[in-house]
Amino acid sequence: MAARFTVGDVIAERTVHLTRESLVRYAGASGDFNPIHYRDDVAAEVGLPGVLAHGMLTMGIASSVVVSALGDVKGILDYGVRFTKPVVVHPTDGADVHVLAKVGAVDEESARIDFMVKHSDTTVLVKAQLRVAL
């Protein structure tokens, strides 16, 4: 089964558009109602460049792009990221989160998928890796 994954192959690439409505919906689903995710005045008061997408939303978008493209795997063994920059969601234009996922390593039992996650030209997640059982 490991032969279906080749190091360097692109597994998935997708851009997900976020709006302020996306943030409100995510807040309701997650229970994270921190006002930096929906109020410009609060974001400005704490020195942020604008309303921010939830970090876990960004992380979830990245993993969902990869998982939906993988198809037949036995399961996710681990998933981790490091947050580097926030995704600022403009009040009218929203924000695009771009995910590019490539095979980083393969062994007999698993494949490691490495992905780059960007907003505009800024990398927002680093060391983003998902390992799946084969």
Side-chain angles (χ1 to χ4, degrees), residues 4-133:
R4 87 170 207 199
F5 290 101
T6 303
V7 173
D9 281 355
V10 172
I11 295 294
E13 184 170 16
R14 187 168 78 199
T15 299
V16 176
H17 184 72
L18 294 175
T19 64
R20 292 284 178 93
E21 181 181 343
S22 305
L23 304 185
V24 171
R25 289 177 183 274
Y26 184 80
S30 69
D32 181 352
F33 292 100
N34 187 323
I36 65 168
H37 300 303
Y38 59 90
R39 288 187 46 191
D40 290 294
D41 61 329
V42 174
E45 284 174 17
V46 297
L48 296 172
V51 166
L52 307 181
H54 301 73
M56 292 295 115
L57 174 58
T58 306
M59 191 175 172
I61 288 168
S63 65
S64 70
V65 168
V66 174
V67 170
S68 66
L70 288 176
D72 185 28
V73 294
K74 292 181 181 172
I76 298 171
L77 300 173
D78 60 56
Y79 174 47
V81 305
R82 197 168 129 235
F83 299 96
T84 57
K85 299 284 182 181
V87 174
V88 179
V89 181
H90 188 271
T92 55
D93 296 339
D96 288 330
V97 176
H98 184 78
V99 180
L100 174 65
K102 294 182 178 182
V103 178
V106 180
D107 61 33
E108 291 298 315
E109 298 175 359
S110 67
R112 189 190 78 222
I113 311 301
D114 300 337
F115 40 106
M116 294 182 5
V117 182
K118 293 188 172 198
H119 163 55
S120 298
D121 290 326
T122 304
T123 299
V124 296
L125 300 178
V126 296
K127 296 185 180 179
Q129 298 178 334
L130 185 141
R131 195 164 57 93
V132 293

